[in-house]
Amino acid sequence: TVHTIEQPILRLRRVSESSTCPLVVNPSMSDEQVTENCIKEYYKQVTSARSSSMLVLKYNLTLTEHVTPQYDKLFCIVLRFELSSSSYEPVSDINLPCLFLDRKPPVFSITLEPRSEEH
């Protein structure tokens, strides 16, 4: 069933991992700043050829503070990504079986891979 809601009830949060982003992350940084710093580090790695060119980003999906009891349990969530750059391969949909307000949020990975020269 598709329901119309007035406010966003889902939030993506970056999961900081030293293997994904070897930068020190300041807790006061916004998610966008953390991601931007990780991408800068990724570019440094690619240009120095010291690692794979794939970038794996980990996130968790949480419910916002605006969630009502009607939506505190969600089942079968599909995250669909549209690339804003033709420099990367398409990102597959991510299927999450459930999200409950009173449980630990699911963690998932998004892999960005540069598009090969043949495309």
Side-chain angles (χ1 to χ4, degrees):
T1 305
V2 176
H3 297 279
T4 303
I5 55 174
E6 293 180 22
Q7 298 180 39
I9 61 168
L10 298 175
R11 176 182 297 138
L12 285 175
R13 288 245 179 230
R14 181 93 160 75
V15 175
S16 180
E17 286 193 27
S18 59
S19 63
T20 304
C21 181
L23 301 172
V24 174
V25 177
N26 181 336
S28 66
M29 293 173 73
S30 70
D31 289 342
E32 292 82 17
Q33 289 171 315
V34 172
T35 300
E36 183 179 322
N37 285 343
C38 289
I39 290 173
K40 285 178 184 176
E41 180 63 23
Y42 162 73
Y43 283 131
K44 286 182 198 173
Q45 290 175 6
V46 170
T47 57
S48 70
R50 64 184 168 126
S51 70
S52 167
S53 59
M54 286 193 321
L55 178 63
V56 178
L57 303 172
K58 289 196 175 191
Y59 288 88
N60 65 27
L61 184 66
T62 62
L63 293 166
T64 67
E65 61 278 356
H66 303 293
V67 71
T68 62
Q70 178 183 4
Y71 301 112
D72 66 354
K73 293 180 182 173
L74 300 175
F75 297 91
C76 193
I77 302 166
V78 179
L79 301 176
R80 180 160 288 157
F81 299 92
E82 294 180 13
L83 293 178
S84 59
S85 169
S86 61
S87 302
Y88 292 96
E89 295 292 339
V91 176
S92 300
D93 291 352
I94 296 175
N95 296 293
L96 301 173
C98 60
L99 179 62
F100 298 144
L101 186 60
D102 60 348
R103 292 190 191 168
K104 187 175 177 182
V107 175
F108 60 91
S109 299
I110 300 171
T111 303
L112 296 177
E113 186 172 359
R115 191 174 291 271
S116 62
E117 294 296 323
E118 298 104 45
H119 292 123

